[in-house]
Amino acid sequence: MARRAATLPILRRLADTAASVRLSPLLPKPDVPNARSVTYMPRPGDGAPRAVTLIPGDGIGPMVTGAVEQVMSAMHAPVYFEKYDVHGDMKRVPEEVIESIKKNKVCLKGGLKTPVGGGVSSLNVQLRKELDLYASLVNCFNLPGLPTRHEGVDIVVIRENTEGEYSGLEHEVVPGVVESLKVITKFCSERIAKYAFEYAYLNNRKKVTAVHKANIMKLADGLFLESCREVATKYPSIKYNEIIVDNCCMQLVSKPEQFDVMVTPNLYGNLVANTAAGIAGGTGVMPGGNVGADHAVFEQGASAGNVGNEKILDQKKANPVALLLSSAMMLRHLQFPSFADRLETAVKRIIMEGKVRTKDLGGDSTTQEVVDAVISNLD
Amino acid sequence: MAAQILRRVVGSRSTQILSSPANPTSVLPALARAFSSQTPIRATLFPGDGIGPEIAESVKQVFKAADVPIEWEEHYVGTEIDPRTQSFLTWESLESVRRNRVGLKGPMATPIGKGHRSLNLTLRKELNLYANVRPCYSLPGYKTRYDDVNLVTIRENTEGEYSGLEHQVVRGVVESLKIITRAASLRVAEYAFHYAKTNGRDRVSVIHKANIMQKTDGLFLKCCREVAEKYPEITYEEVVIDNCCMMLVKNPALFDVLVMPNLYGDIISDLSAGLVGGLGLTPSCNIGEGGIALAEAVHGSAPDIAGKNLANPTALLMSSVMMLRHLNFSDKAEQIQNAIVSTIAEGKYRTADLGGSSSTTEFTNAICNNL
């Protein structure tokens, strides 16, 4: 894990991420002029703007998606947004939104508030199920310049997103006794395991760790583990190990540098991703997304249902960094590698400088101030 | 830090009746014991496997040095399955805990094989240990990356995700049942608030995922709310589990007492232990029906260093301190706890897991000298 060692962190990171996209993208190295990697050769027509569905969402959502819109337009990025109003208290995601995502294949979204115990199911979960976005990915890493308790954190949590504890199957057996079903299938376990190993392979990651509680849930988590083991045999160059979820969380707060890629059932992934995000700098800076066979939805990496409080809203001080980095992920996904790099570099520069930071990172800047700083740092 | 120590001291000096509020009668014997401390109290001791006997020896030595009026009734895990318990634990061992109503348990390794229950599960089910209480606080002098931790996790221990009800629906599709009942939720919530009150704690946070599991975790929340109304002096809050994980690693000082269903409790209590230095340092106590208290070390039996006089007895010692508090021996508890804390803080005698080179015996002797 010494991969992100002290010297020239930005450059190293850039080199890493560039390597992760197998398209040999342009490498705008700001401090070494004219040093470019072998060029990215697009297909004719690749520069045509792409439509992206945009869901501003609730709470801080519109503020941070607004930040992304501003930065995208300042970069003249070849994307345009189809904006839809969706709110957490709706009964379901409107059909036109689903249609738009199906057409565009890519969506950027702010958080949708999930009401607790109001008989309304989570729209975040609904969207994932409807579009079969079976893999959730959160990238948790130390940002150079941002002091945290742990060094050397560089974890990707890949979480099964469609079944498990989030099956939504619950009922009252007799008064005072309720049951909730956790469903684990071979099909879903296998495809998430395959995705995790494929991700590790494509991004030059060395190890995949399966997180489970199979000592207690012998059948359910046992099936998950069995699927991971099978897929692991097909990737002999990637190290595979297993860890029990409670021990995993304990290790995360003591020796997080031991983890690389983690693959988990639904609920554990939620907890592990939030813990990992916390130790690496907070949910305000960690990018992520949900992806299926046909579609991808990019959002703040951890806590999609957490949309901030009134105070942050009133003062307009939400942290847009997580969603800006998620947008860089999105640009890379859309095969606009140079735009992705420019955005990522600009965001990392302002974190490194440390002058413009929102409150969760120890500063007192507004969302707009962060956006302006990012724009002025664009190459 | 100073404020926290002060608070701990004050908290532990206040009345310490840890028996279940659901069974008010059980308070009386506890009080009676406290006032007649001349006659020794019998407590069951399971030294356990691996390093268990060594660290149990350490507890016995410290108790002797501190002149604690406890008479241990030692029970070992059997070599054959007792048909009455379907486990390697004998009926007599369980009866001993039921009779004494208080016990201390070292690490136990369940032998691999079929036809018997895991040892911990046997104890939990047979003694109806419904709440697992684990205080986690930063030990002065032992530096971790988190230095402002002072929280208590209280975990429902009998149902939830660990119901053990699983089946294959069709090939390749498996279901596991999470059971939440009103009775069990109320019981653990009652205990959590009772604990907060008797230990001078101000706040109880219930940890849940009711935004997704609306009925099961919803019921748990509802029960906690009902109990919270009876304790207006204690601040009550609800925190979603994923947010709780994030807050714990960002700023653990935000939490005081946490109460939660089984799986969340398992994860959060281990995470919290990780914040202050791991399972080798954190105590644990299980509360059962009728005021039974079984304190235990939750770490593994470490067979690789067993018998080498290298084990760290801190977790079991701290657990024995919890047991003493339960028995209302607050002064003795305080005395022993201070001795442990100052021995670790001095740093002269530390076991290998804390970066020292002392043996179990040297560490224990140092504690006895610090009493």
Side-chain angles (χ1 to χ4, degrees):
Chain A
M1 266 324 125
R3 192 180 333 168
R4 309 269 193 265
T7 48
L8 294 176
I10 288 184
L11 291 183
R12 295 192 67 139
R13 182 142 192 100
L14 269 177
D16 267 3
T17 45
S20 72
V21 179
R22 297 271 143 168
L23 294 163
S24 323
L26 290 173
L27 258 188
K29 288 183 178 170
D31 308 320
V32 190
N34 302 324
R36 285 186 168 169
S37 61
V38 175
T39 191
Y40 162 57
M41 186 174 78
R43 284 162 305 188
D46 270 1
R50 293 278 304 268
V52 170
T53 309
L54 179 68
I55 302 175
D58 300 311
I60 62 165
M63 215 182 292
V64 290
T65 53
V68 173
E69 282 182 280
Q70 286 185 53
V71 176
M72 290 286 193
S73 108
M75 283 202 299
H76 305 291
V79 291
Y80 63 94
F81 293 110
E82 286 176 6
K83 211 189 279 190
Y84 290 93
D85 243 359
V86 182
H87 296 290
D89 52 4
M90 288 177 168
K91 274 261 172 326
R92 48 172 296 111
V93 184
E95 202 48 49
E96 64 206 42
V97 180
I98 303 279
E99 283 308 314
S100 164
I101 301 176
K102 282 189 174 158
K103 175 171 64 77
N104 297 333
K105 313 268 188 237
V106 172
C107 168
L108 182 71
K109 135 180 186 311
L112 292 171
K113 193 175 169 60
T114 311
V116 176
V120 188
S121 71
S122 161
L123 292 194
N124 295 309
V125 173
Q126 220 183 83
L127 205 58
R128 288 169 205 161
K129 285 196 175 158
E130 197 104 358
L131 298 166
D132 202 23
L133 304 166
Y134 63 82
S136 152
L137 185 149
V138 183
N139 190 359
C140 303
F141 53 90
N142 287 126
L143 282 161
L146 187 65
T148 54
R149 286 195 171 93
H150 299 272
E151 306 274 300
V153 183
D154 183 13
I155 301 171
V156 172
V157 182
I158 294 179
R159 155 188 176 199
E160 205 292 324
N161 227 352
T162 55
E163 54 171 25
E165 301 81 355
Y166 289 46
S167 66
L169 303 168
E170 289 187 296
H171 60 271
E172 186 169 57
V173 187
V174 294
V177 178
V178 281
E179 242 175 44
S180 163
L181 295 185
K182 164 171 170 169
V183 179
I184 299 278
T185 65
K186 179 88 180 158
F187 175 76
C188 289
S189 305
E190 234 167 42
R191 67 177 181 176
I192 194 71
K194 276 183 189 157
Y195 183 76
F197 277 94
E198 192 176 22
Y199 170 86
Y201 168 64
L202 289 176
N203 286 281
N204 195 22
R205 295 272 182 167
K206 309 295 183 206
K207 188 166 81 172
V208 173
T209 306
V211 182
H212 67 96
K213 188 78 197 179
N215 52 339
I216 302 286
M217 280 166 266
K218 294 189 169 80
L219 290 182
D221 287 8
L223 181 60
F224 180 80
L225 275 190
E226 188 190 303
S227 311
C228 290
R229 282 176 201 159
E230 276 173 29
V231 178
T233 58
K234 296 185 185 130
Y235 290 86
S237 62
I238 295 168
K239 216 177 141 220
Y240 169 72
N241 65 353
E242 295 165 357
I243 191 167
I244 296 176
V245 59
D246 41 330
N247 186 26
C248 173
C249 285
M250 192 165 65
Q251 296 291 326
L252 270 174
V253 298
S254 43
K255 281 177 268 163
E257 59 280 357
Q258 66 183 292
F259 297 110
D260 195 347
V261 176
M262 299 170 114
V263 58
T264 77
N266 212 336
L267 176 71
Y268 310 154
N270 187 210
L271 309 188
V272 168
N274 272 275
T275 309
I279 58 173
T283 48
V285 292
M286 296 305 150
N290 302 283
V291 65
D294 300 313
H295 317 287
V297 173
F298 293 86
E299 62 188 352
Q300 175 176 322
S303 289
N306 188 359
V307 292
N309 56 30
E310 291 288 321
K311 200 172 145 208
I312 295 179
L313 266 180
D314 287 345
Q315 302 179 330
K316 301 191 191 310
K317 284 185 176 171
N319 191 350
V321 168
L323 204 69
L324 284 168
L325 290 175
S326 298
S327 309
M329 274 173 66
M330 181 182 82
L331 288 169
R332 207 161 277 146
H333 179 84
L334 288 168
Q335 306 192 355
F336 298 130
S338 144
F339 283 96
D341 293 342
R342 281 170 65 201
L343 176 51
E344 187 179 333
T345 311
V347 172
K348 286 185 173 162
R349 273 187 197 148
I350 65 142
I351 297 278
M352 178 77 120
E353 277 171 15
K355 273 183 258 164
V356 187
R357 280 181 187 171
T358 48
K359 200 165 171 221
D360 57 322
L361 305 183
D364 194 35
S365 305
T366 62
T367 311
Q368 192 56 47
E369 281 163 358
V370 177
V371 173
D372 294 341
V374 169
I375 291 176
S376 68
N377 269 291
L378 283 168
D379 287 317
Chain B
M1 197 67 229
Q4 279 177 27
I5 295 173
L6 187 68
R7 181 171 160 207
R8 271 210 306 276
V9 173
V10 172
S12 53
R13 289 261 163 83
S14 63
T15 40
Q16 296 276 341
I17 309 159
L18 295 190
S19 43
S20 165
N23 302 276
T25 47
S26 65
V27 172
L28 295 174
L31 282 177
R33 276 178 197 149
F35 289 117
S36 62
S37 54
Q38 278 74 24
T39 50
I41 287 169
R42 294 181 76 80
T44 310
L45 176 67
F46 295 106
D49 304 308
I51 56 171
E54 296 164 59
I55 56 178
E57 194 53 50
S58 166
V59 171
K60 282 190 268 180
Q61 191 188 329
V62 172
F63 271 37
K64 206 169 189 182
D67 205 15
V68 182
I70 293 258
E71 195 179 308
W72 296 109
E73 226 178 86
E74 278 187 54
H75 285 264
Y76 284 87
V77 180
T79 48
E80 278 168 32
I81 295 172
D82 187 327
R84 291 166 297 180
T85 60
Q86 293 167 26
S87 163
F88 288 95
L89 279 168
T90 61
W91 183 256
E92 284 73 26
S93 302
L94 295 172
E95 270 304 304
S96 160
V97 185
R98 287 196 195 105
R99 195 174 49 244
N100 297 330
R101 314 246 313 267
V102 64
L104 181 67
K105 168 184 162 296
M108 287 180 182
T110 300
I112 297 165
K114 290 198 170 159
H116 62 87
R117 287 190 286 180
S118 113
L119 299 171
N120 288 324
L121 190 70
T122 310
L123 284 169
R124 202 177 299 158
K125 292 269 172 188
E126 293 290 332
L127 302 175
N128 223 334
L129 302 172
Y130 65 86
N132 177 243
V133 184
R134 289 214 226 159
C136 284
Y137 45 83
S138 310
L139 285 174
Y142 183 63
K143 190 96 190 83
T144 66
R145 289 193 169 87
Y146 304 83
D147 49 9
D148 37 13
V149 186
N150 181 16
L151 55 87
V152 182
T153 57
I154 298 180
R155 161 188 176 193
E156 203 292 322
N157 223 352
T158 61
E159 53 173 28
E161 300 81 357
Y162 295 3
S163 65
L165 302 169
E166 288 187 298
H167 58 270
Q168 176 166 303
V169 186
V170 293
R171 227 181 119 82
V173 179
V174 175
E175 258 175 26
S176 172
L177 296 186
K178 165 171 172 171
I179 313 282
I180 298 278
T181 66
R182 196 176 149 75
S185 304
L186 280 175
R187 185 170 60 177
V188 74
E190 287 275 6
Y191 185 76
F193 278 93
H194 174 82
Y195 181 92
K197 195 177 173 188
T198 49
N199 287 273
R201 301 250 173 193
D202 313 319
R203 197 147 51 103
V204 173
S205 316
V206 48
I207 311 301
H208 67 97
K209 188 79 193 174
N211 49 346
I212 301 293
M213 281 165 269
Q214 302 189 346
K215 288 192 177 142
T216 42
D217 285 10
L219 177 61
F220 189 79
L221 272 189
K222 195 166 156 259
C223 294
C224 289
R225 280 179 204 155
E226 278 173 31
V227 176
E229 273 175 24
K230 290 193 264 172
Y231 292 84
E233 70 279 17
I234 291 170
T235 315
Y236 168 76
E237 64 171 4
E238 296 167 358
V239 183
V240 179
I241 174 90
D242 43 333
N243 200 22
C244 170
C245 286
M246 206 267 289
M247 286 159 75
L248 268 176
V249 296
K250 286 279 276 185
N251 186 5
L254 292 170
F255 291 102
D256 197 345
V257 176
L258 298 93
V259 59
M260 54 219 137
N262 213 333
L263 172 73
Y264 311 153
D266 191 8
I267 296 173
I268 296 292
S269 57
D270 277 14
L271 195 158
S272 308
L275 299 178
V276 298
L279 298 179
L281 298 177
T282 45
S284 162
C285 186
N286 295 289
I287 305 300
E289 204 78 55
I292 287 181
L294 182 64
E296 65 172 339
V298 285
H299 54 69
S301 57
D304 52 326
I305 57 163
K308 293 184 183 162
N309 202 14
L310 294 172
N312 182 359
T314 305
L316 195 66
L317 279 166
M318 286 292 201
S319 300
S320 73
V321 168
M322 280 184 87
M323 189 188 90
L324 289 179
R325 293 240 163 88
H326 179 88
L327 291 170
N328 266 350
F329 289 132
S330 299
D331 293 345
K332 294 284 180 203
E334 202 58 35
Q335 190 190 355
I336 294 175
Q337 179 172 332
N338 289 341
I340 301 167
V341 169
S342 55
T343 306
I344 293 175
E346 278 166 19
K348 213 165 140 200
Y349 297 99
R350 279 187 188 173
T351 47
D353 58 318
L354 300 183
S357 59
S358 297
S359 66
T360 310
T361 324
E362 285 164 348
F363 180 68
T364 310
N365 288 339
I367 292 173
C368 292
N369 291 336
N370 274 328
L371 280 168

